[in-house]
Amino acid sequence: MESTPFTDKPTLRGELVTLRPIRAEDADEINAIIRADDEIALLTGSVHSSTEKFPGASIERLRDIYGAWAVADDRLVLAVMDNTTDELVGEVVLHEWDEGNESCGFRTLIGAAGRGRGLGTEATRLIVEHGLTKMGMHRITLEVYDFNPRARHVYEKVGFMHEGTGREALRLDDEWIDVHFMAILAH
């Protein structure tokens, strides 16, 4: 089997956060973060009502998923560790590798304990810089819903540019929400 840019699972250290390879046992903490914070289900477009609970998998299934992601060659999933508390506060992911175009997608999940202190911005910057420099990506893309200006601001600070809008892409509380497509290039 050919190796992909995702075969290497690095640890990336910043001033505020350390990104380390995800492990199966991290599923317990990620599940707790998601279950304790209804905003995550909304911001990820996982629900269609602001009163709906996150429809996640069983903890056993989540452990299997995270265990597989820990060794997967089709994605890089790194746990976001708060350097002050050594607490897992979320994850950052590069995925959907397009070899011919040297590009991939990006997504992140930061729980309430990691918000408002620059942790998400630094985690995004660390993994994006790693993708563009060490992994040789030309382009990294993401999607962000219209009702999440906080995330869009982070992405713009890191260097992502708005490329277009998917009109009425998500139905939430009987309203249609636009999704914005953003990307960052190596140059």
Side-chain angles (χ1 to χ4, degrees):
M1 179 157 96
E2 286 184 41
S3 79
T4 71
F6 300 119
T7 305
D8 181 42
K9 307 294 185 191
T11 296
L12 309 175
R13 291 184 189 356
E15 189 176 314
L16 303 173
V17 297
T18 297
L19 307 182
R20 65 146 172 83
I22 204 78
R23 303 183 294 237
E25 56 268 24
D26 292 331
D28 295 83
E29 288 179 75
I30 295 290
N31 186 53
I33 288 168
I34 292 169
R35 300 282 175 211
D37 187 354
D38 292 337
E39 191 173 275
I40 291 173
L42 285 172
L43 298 178
T44 58
S46 300
V47 295
H48 297 283
S49 163
S50 54
T51 59
E52 191 178 340
K53 293 295 182 194
F54 194 79
S58 71
I59 191 62
E60 294 78 16
R61 178 72 183 119
L62 281 176
R63 288 181 193 133
D64 289 345
I65 290 168
Y66 278 85
W69 286 354
V71 297
D73 65 359
D74 68 340
R75 70 190 59 233
L76 174 61
V77 183
L78 300 177
V80 179
M81 306 300 295
D82 181 337
N83 286 345
T84 302
T85 63
D86 203 33
E87 176 184 0
L88 189 151
V89 295
E91 65 188 27
V92 288
V93 181
L94 295 177
H95 61 109
E96 298 176 350
W97 166 237
D98 179 343
E99 182 178 9
N101 292 312
E102 299 173 354
S103 67
C104 71
F106 168 76
R107 70 170 180 78
T108 184
L109 181 157
I110 302 292
R115 291 191 204 123
R117 298 183 292 129
L119 305 184
T121 301
E122 185 177 75
T124 300
R125 184 174 288 118
L126 284 170
I127 196 166
V128 166
E129 285 176 359
H130 178 77
L132 296 174
T133 59
K134 302 284 191 253
M135 295 173 68
M137 298 288 171
H138 171 69
R139 173 182 164 89
I140 298 175
T141 63
L142 63 83
E143 296 179 5
V144 60
Y145 289 108
D146 199 43
F147 53 68
N148 196 353
R150 180 179 61 215
R152 184 168 173 174
H153 177 71
V154 166
Y155 303 144
E156 288 169 342
K157 277 177 34 178
V158 171
F160 282 87
M161 302 285 292
H162 183 261
E163 294 189 330
T165 300
R167 296 175 302 143
E168 299 184 2
L170 174 72
R171 188 169 179 94
L172 179 68
D173 291 333
D174 293 323
E175 290 184 36
W176 288 104
I177 309 298
D178 293 345
V179 66
H180 300 285
F181 304 105
M182 301 181 76
I184 188 169
L185 303 177
H187 54 78

